[in-house]
Amino acid sequence: MSRYDPSVIEPRWQAAWEAAGAFTARRDPLKPKYYVLEMFPYPSGRIHMGHVRNYTMGDVVARYKSASGFSVLHPMGWDAFGMPAENAAMERGGHPKDWTYGNIADMKAQMKPLGLSIDWSRELATCDPEYYGQQQAMFIDMMEAGLVYRKAAVVNWDPVDMTVLANEQVIDGKGWRSGAAVERRELVQWFFKISDYSEELLGALDGLTNWPEKVRLMQANWIGKSRGLQFAFETVGAPAGFEALEVYTTRPDTLMGASFAAISPDHPLARALEGDPAVAEFVAKCRKGGTSAEEIETAEKIGYDTGIRVKHPLDPNWELPVWIANFILMDYGTGAIFGCPAHDQRDFDFATKYALPIKPVFTADGSDAALAEAFVPMKSEKVHYIRGFAGEAVQTGDEGVAAAIAHAEANGYGKGVTKFRLRDWGISRQRYWGCPIPVVHCPTCGVVPEKKENLPVELPYDVSFDKPGNPLDRHPSWRDCACPKCGAPAKRETDTMDTFVDSSWYYARFTAPRATTPTVAEDADYWMNVDQYIGGIEHAILHLLYSRFFARAMHKTGHLPAKAVEPFSALFTQGMVTHEIYKTTDAAGRPVYHLPEDIIRSEGGATLKDGTKVEVIPSAKMSKSKKNVVDPMNIIASFGADTARWFVMSDSPPERDVEWTSAGAEAAFKHLSRVWSLCSRIGEMPADHKGEGDAELARATARAIDEVTKGIEGFAFNKAIASLYAFTNTIAKANASTPVMKEAIRTLAQLMSPMTPHMAEEVWSYQGGAGLCAQAPWPKADPALLVDDTVTLPIQINGKRRAEISVPKDMAAAEVEKIALANEDVVRFLAGQPVKKIIVVPGRIINVVV
RNA sequence: GCCCGAGUGGCGGAAUGGUAGACGCAGCGGAUUCAAAAUCCGUCGCCGCAAGGCAUGCGAGUUCGAGUCUCGCCUCGGGCACCA
């Protein structure tokens, strides 16, 4: 065995795996199945360290499960539609399709050297007509199932990307991709009725016990269930048709503290009043105040008194003014509220500004003093109701709310309703590079779904990107078609689908990626669900919630079995790969960032190669703009894939961020080299070498198997790797006979194989392992070797460790006590004091209390 | 503001309520070398010559025993948000 040279061994073993078809997923009735999936990448053209970490984690699980006797499905695909392709076409010319498929080829070529155990025969790209045609078929099924509808809606319009964004895609009032300030526009849009499933999507979160608690909580908050009271105020002086004003409140117990009613500037009543120039002016002012968090945060609460009044439901003689207010949202509740300044800070600020009454409903102690700020205790807290109208005078907010709803229902002025924050999913995008919505607009029949035999509705290739907007609208002939119903000339829909639709079912498609239907029952039944899904926390809400909805829709339309409505049985969200940032400033004082490879790191500082001092900024997510990126290809070229894989899995727990350091990468390489030379040394040992350490090494081997197995099972890869370091050191120092040494190093190879599969194969074959290491069964630890005959027990005196003794594992507590008290250190520390109590925890510890 | 999560050596991090700091990095000492790199061996929380003392953000509490459990604070990170 020569020097460790990954550039030689890695391609060799990759070829061997491919020749053996080692990773081809097969439905095997004799084996349990295991489906492991990492969130598929967007084909940007380059892989980054985050990909390496993500796919290595999945690969560790896949290889481990495969060795453990499972029939494993571990596929890979491309989330290939979306705007970067169009942006590239606009910026650099060329065609989105060519750009995308070119990137896929590039990225695949970069992923292959990582030696991932992926079944590439199942590869798919969402921009393949073979894929999106099936998506169109499901869209039509969902239309028939009543899960799709059109409506005119005020949408978030991204003026740069010239497209509509889902609410979920608006971040701080800006488009999530372009970063442009979002405007409001009204368009007719296609929607999925995800809100039909609000209750179910919320309730089913409880069953997702193998999901991070954090993600479940984020989804629950997003769905946002609330219980409250809806009732109508009778209006006085309102225009015709507005005799009643519906309001919704989650605090009906504060009804006696009402001091005004307020409506959103988008409320129909506000619109009806816009004939008044003063109202029109005020409403326009409200709409201008953009939606960015910064603006909202600093925006002053403003209101306009309409002069209309409403009658309090509990006292017809009590009238409240109706204001239009900028802080009332039209799309939550009914777009109208009653304000209770005493118990809501916003209402308090508003009332203070416009001199409206502030009357407490409840207080902490039953007094009725004037308030300096709103009193908003937890609903679970008990308070004294001084203007309550339902239930006990002293009760919790929750009880007060329940009593108020009961009171309203009993007296017929309102009813308890449950509302959700979750809104329907608008999927229309005015873009070219997406899945065409398969419907036709017919002058006589209206909106008609395309016939399934005409699918896929394929994107035309001959389009231009010289103007903003949707190229499909401008295409000379693509829109022209025959009405699927009456055959008359008609026009195609030009909206394409949100790319989140594409990623909402790809996991199901992987079970039968070439089928002529979206899924195949036997395949879906065998492979679903995804047993382990791995990806970034950034998809905690959107992608995962949409997928959960889509799986339900696919079940309803017959494309997935009932057991697959929660498609991801276990979810793991991995942390990012971070790196230090290196900064200098140019003559004009602007920051200049430098790539890690241009930096010379020395003790206490860093310089450029010409000696210029560089400022080192603490580790942050790798980003092109900060230039703190390490190209996986460079790492593979200098150290090999196994080193990159080993490093990203070591040190940090997988859910936490890992900092990439060149020292760490070199350390990983050094360790692999050490394993390599250890393997050589053992290979050169004479076959008849005898040593004294056989039993000891056998025990260490068993312990390593046990620890690494537990580490992988528990997603504690860093701990598995720590055990492997320790085991390597043990073997290196061991003096055992040749067969035991060989057994140990072969076991080491197997235990390392999920992380460093190429090195593992090389060691395995060199030490006479049968077949491929990748196909060898996972080693089992002999339970008898996991327990030691003697144990070392620390002895504490009053909780402080003072001595330790070594006793046989099964020694009776009384006997242990005797030995402990006779120990010379113990005697010395006790100094004759009487022992009050002695606690012996078998196999763990002894504590002497004086 | 609300909801989560986390604070352990110089650093990344280990630790079913039971010997705090596994494993790795960096550091230090040594071997090898003409020398260096590489490699190997040893050492490595802080104070102290030592005995020993002090140490898991801070302060209490529960316990024979607390990094771990409870309560109150502080700091940092993440998510949500004029959501009625």
Side-chain angles (χ1 to χ4, degrees):
Chain A
M1 235 175 153
S2 48
R3 195 174 58 89
Y4 172 48
D5 186 356
S7 68
V8 173
I9 64 167
E10 290 183 353
R12 183 163 77 225
W13 290 110
Q14 285 161 19
W17 295 326
E18 188 155 347
F23 310 130
T24 306
R26 290 180 193 87
R27 264 167 41 200
D28 184 341
L30 300 175
K31 283 183 180 178
K33 69 90 189 180
Y34 198 88
Y35 182 2
V36 55
L37 182 67
E38 301 96 59
M39 292 181 184
F40 66 166
Y42 179 80
S44 63
R46 300 295 300 175
I47 67 166
H48 53 70
M49 277 299 169
H51 291 129
V52 174
R53 195 178 192 206
N54 191 202
Y55 305 138
T56 302
M57 273 181 210
D59 203 43
V60 168
V61 174
R63 286 175 177 273
Y64 165 72
K65 287 291 177 183
S66 173
S68 303
F70 288 85
S71 170
V72 169
L73 172 58
H74 185 211
M76 182 57 66
W78 309 96
D79 188 14
F81 272 136
M83 292 184 313
E86 288 189 40
N87 293 342
M90 283 184 271
E91 285 159 22
R92 297 192 280 278
H95 194 279
K97 183 177 174 180
D98 304 332
W99 184 87
T100 302
Y101 281 103
N103 283 352
I104 288 174
D106 289 348
M107 279 180 85
K108 192 174 170 183
Q110 292 162 41
M111 280 168 74
K112 284 273 187 162
L114 285 170
L116 302 166
S117 66
I118 284 167
D119 180 358
W120 286 102
S121 73
R122 289 175 188 254
E123 181 184 1
L124 59 81
T126 56
C127 63
D128 297 336
E130 189 186 27
Y131 182 85
Y132 71 73
Q134 299 305 329
Q135 186 165 304
Q136 291 170 336
M138 284 195 294
F139 180 92
I140 291 166
D141 291 341
M142 285 168 72
M143 274 178 93
E144 278 158 15
L147 291 169
V148 180
Y149 68 103
R150 289 176 95 210
K151 69 172 178 189
V154 177
V155 295
N156 303 301
W157 179 259
D158 186 318
V160 169
D161 285 330
M162 304 280 281
T163 190
V164 172
L165 301 172
N167 281 311
E168 292 90 328
Q169 293 169 327
V170 179
I171 296 159
D172 295 339
K174 297 194 176 88
W176 71 307
R177 231 166 208 166
S178 72
V182 170
E183 294 169 5
R184 299 149 60 98
R185 267 205 195 183
E186 200 161 72
L187 287 176
V188 177
Q189 301 282 300
W190 287 94
F191 285 84
F192 282 144
K193 287 188 94 172
I194 189 171
S195 62
D196 276 6
Y197 292 85
S198 298
E199 186 78 65
E200 202 195 319
L201 288 168
L202 180 69
L205 286 171
D206 290 337
L208 299 176
T209 49
N210 290 318
W211 280 40
E213 184 57 37
K214 184 187 169 76
V215 173
R216 292 194 287 166
L217 192 74
M218 282 165 74
Q219 292 218 351
N221 289 341
W222 192 263
I223 294 168
K225 183 178 182 174
S226 69
R227 178 80 181 159
L229 178 73
Q230 186 162 331
F231 66 94
F233 280 118
E234 187 183 326
T235 60
V236 180
F242 294 96
E243 287 73 21
L245 179 64
E246 286 278 343
V247 299
Y248 172 73
T249 177
T250 54
R251 291 309 297 261
D253 56 321
T254 66
L255 196 48
M256 294 306 286
S259 76
F260 62 94
I263 61 174
S264 162
D266 295 318
H267 193 277
L269 176 55
R271 299 201 168 188
L273 297 172
E274 274 188 67
D276 178 344
V279 173
E281 190 191 333
F282 176 78
V283 166
K285 195 170 158 194
C286 290
R287 288 203 184 121
K288 207 160 49 180
T291 48
S292 82
E294 197 189 345
E295 276 177 289
I296 285 165
E297 206 110 338
T298 53
E300 211 189 336
K301 286 165 189 55
I302 52 171
Y304 178 89
D305 188 349
T306 60
I308 299 169
R309 306 183 77 75
V310 291
K311 294 184 178 177
H312 195 282
L314 297 177
D315 178 1
N317 298 318
W318 180 3
E319 291 191 352
L320 303 170
V322 176
W323 289 65
I324 301 170
N326 65 341
F327 62 93
I328 310 298
L329 298 179
M330 188 57 218
D331 44 15
Y332 189 83
T334 61
I337 61 150
F338 73 80
C340 176
H343 303 296
D344 183 296
Q345 193 58 46
R346 283 159 302 150
D347 293 349
F348 186 92
D349 296 344
F350 191 80
T352 306
K353 178 168 180 179
Y354 293 106
L356 294 159
I358 299 170
K359 277 191 297 184
V361 174
F362 48 77
T363 57
D365 54 6
S367 74
D368 192 4
L371 296 168
E373 58 179 3
F375 175 54
V376 192
M378 302 265 283
K379 273 195 210 166
S380 56
E381 226 169 90
K382 278 202 183 211
V383 290
H384 292 252
Y385 279 83
I386 52 177
R387 288 189 184 81
F389 59 96
E392 301 290 324
V394 177
Q395 59 187 347
T396 65
D398 285 319
E399 288 163 350
V401 168
I405 290 172
H407 184 271
E409 287 180 345
N411 293 283
Y413 62 84
K415 62 177 193 297
V417 285
T418 300
K419 290 215 185 274
F420 293 92
R421 206 185 80 109
L422 181 68
R423 275 161 281 184
D424 279 333
W425 176 11
I427 61 155
S428 284
R429 297 293 179 275
Q430 291 66 45
R431 308 299 304 179
Y432 165 76
W433 193 233
C435 172
I437 292 175
V439 298
V440 167
H441 298 268
C442 170
T444 41
C445 309
V447 177
V448 186
E450 181 56 275
K451 288 181 192 163
K452 278 200 181 167
E453 62 260 37
N454 292 341
L455 299 182
V457 176
E458 232 176 296
L459 289 168
Y461 185 79
D462 53 333
V463 287
S464 63
F465 293 90
D466 41 8
K467 300 179 208 98
N470 186 353
L472 292 177
D473 280 331
R474 303 192 300 262
H475 193 277
S477 59
W478 183 77
R479 298 193 65 187
D480 300 324
C481 62
C483 170
K485 211 168 177 184
C486 69
K491 295 277 188 194
R492 291 198 182 285
E493 171 69 59
T494 59
D495 283 356
T496 53
M497 295 185 208
D498 180 4
T499 56
F500 275 109
V501 180
D502 311 335
S503 56
S504 291
W505 71 286
Y506 76 109
Y507 51 86
R509 182 67 181 170
F510 273 137
T511 65
R514 309 284 171 254
T516 52
T517 46
T519 57
V520 174
E522 305 88 73
D523 290 304
D525 206 57
Y526 180 81
W527 291 114
M528 288 300 285
N529 299 341
V530 176
D531 294 283
Q532 184 65 59
Y533 196 34
I534 306 171
I537 188 79
E538 67 272 19
H539 292 297
I541 299 174
L542 303 184
H543 163 61
L544 290 168
L545 189 61
Y546 291 155
S547 292
R548 296 178 62 220
F549 160 70
F550 222 84
R552 284 168 170 77
M554 285 177 75
H555 170 56
K556 190 173 182 182
T557 51
H559 296 301
L560 275 180
K563 67 168 185 181
V565 296
E566 282 300 342
F568 310 124
S569 300
L571 172 70
F572 190 88
T573 52
Q574 103 270 11
M576 298 178 301
V577 182
T578 64
H579 198 284
E580 293 179 326
I581 298 168
Y582 305 109
K583 191 179 99 171
T584 55
T585 31
D586 67 9
R590 284 182 300 253
V592 180
Y593 296 101
H594 303 276
L595 289 167
E597 59 250 43
D598 298 332
I599 301 296
I600 297 165
R601 206 76 172 77
S602 58
E603 223 176 307
T607 57
L608 292 179
K609 280 166 186 156
D610 64 10
T612 315
K613 262 263 179 212
V614 172
E615 188 189 344
V616 180
I617 298 170
S619 223
K621 181 180 183 171
M622 287 188 180
S623 85
K624 271 186 207 157
S625 64
K626 296 285 185 336
K627 287 204 178 172
N628 60 336
V629 287
V630 174
D631 189 327
M633 291 302 101
N634 293 343
I635 300 300
I636 291 174
S638 32
F639 298 114
D642 281 343
T643 292
R645 295 172 55 121
W646 183 263
F647 180 69
V648 291
M649 301 303 278
S650 62
D651 287 346
S652 285
E655 68 277 11
R656 251 189 259 178
D657 293 350
V658 63
E659 182 181 16
W660 185 276
T661 60
S662 53
E666 279 158 26
F669 181 77
K670 272 185 207 172
H671 177 71
L672 298 187
S673 302
R674 214 153 30 226
V675 172
W676 186 266
S677 50
L678 180 59
C679 175
S680 292
R681 212 186 79 208
I682 293 172
E684 286 154 13
M685 277 169 67
D688 57 356
H689 174 83
K690 295 272 180 270
E692 298 90 66
D694 285 6
E696 214 174 307
L697 185 56
R699 252 203 297 279
T701 304
R703 214 163 35 237
I705 294 170
D706 186 55
E707 286 172 6
V708 172
T709 304
K710 282 182 180 147
I712 294 175
E713 288 271 1
F715 261 77
F717 306 120
N718 55 324
K719 285 193 259 171
I721 285 181
S723 304
L724 287 167
Y725 271 112
F727 185 39
T728 307
N729 292 339
T730 303
I731 301 174
K733 286 178 184 150
N735 175 25
S737 51
T738 305
V740 178
M741 293 293 276
K742 279 188 180 290
E743 177 64 23
I745 190 91
R746 271 201 304 268
T747 304
L748 176 66
Q750 280 190 285
L751 296 178
M752 287 176 74
S753 68
M755 279 68 80
T756 58
H758 313 89
M759 150 83 62
E761 292 289 359
E762 194 69 22
V763 172
W764 179 257
S765 74
Y766 186 72
Q767 298 294 348
L772 287 168
C773 184
Q775 292 177 318
W778 191 251
K780 280 201 170 54
D782 179 352
L785 294 177
L786 290 175
V787 280
D788 289 322
D789 301 336
T790 58
V791 287
T792 304
L793 294 180
I795 303 172
Q796 295 183 330
I797 295 171
N798 282 346
K800 279 194 189 299
R801 183 183 172 278
R802 295 300 184 188
E804 65 179 37
I805 53 171
S806 203
V807 298
K809 168 168 65 85
D810 306 318
M811 184 179 267
E815 191 73 10
V816 173
E817 249 177 64
K818 233 185 269 175
I819 296 174
L821 290 175
N823 180 280
E824 61 178 49
D825 286 326
V826 174
V827 170
R828 184 163 57 85
F829 273 99
L830 287 178
Q833 296 174 80
V835 172
K836 273 194 206 143
K837 199 172 165 188
I838 178 160
I839 292 144
V840 177
V841 184
R844 298 241 65 134
I845 204 163
I846 300 154
N847 194 7
V848 182
V849 188
V850 293

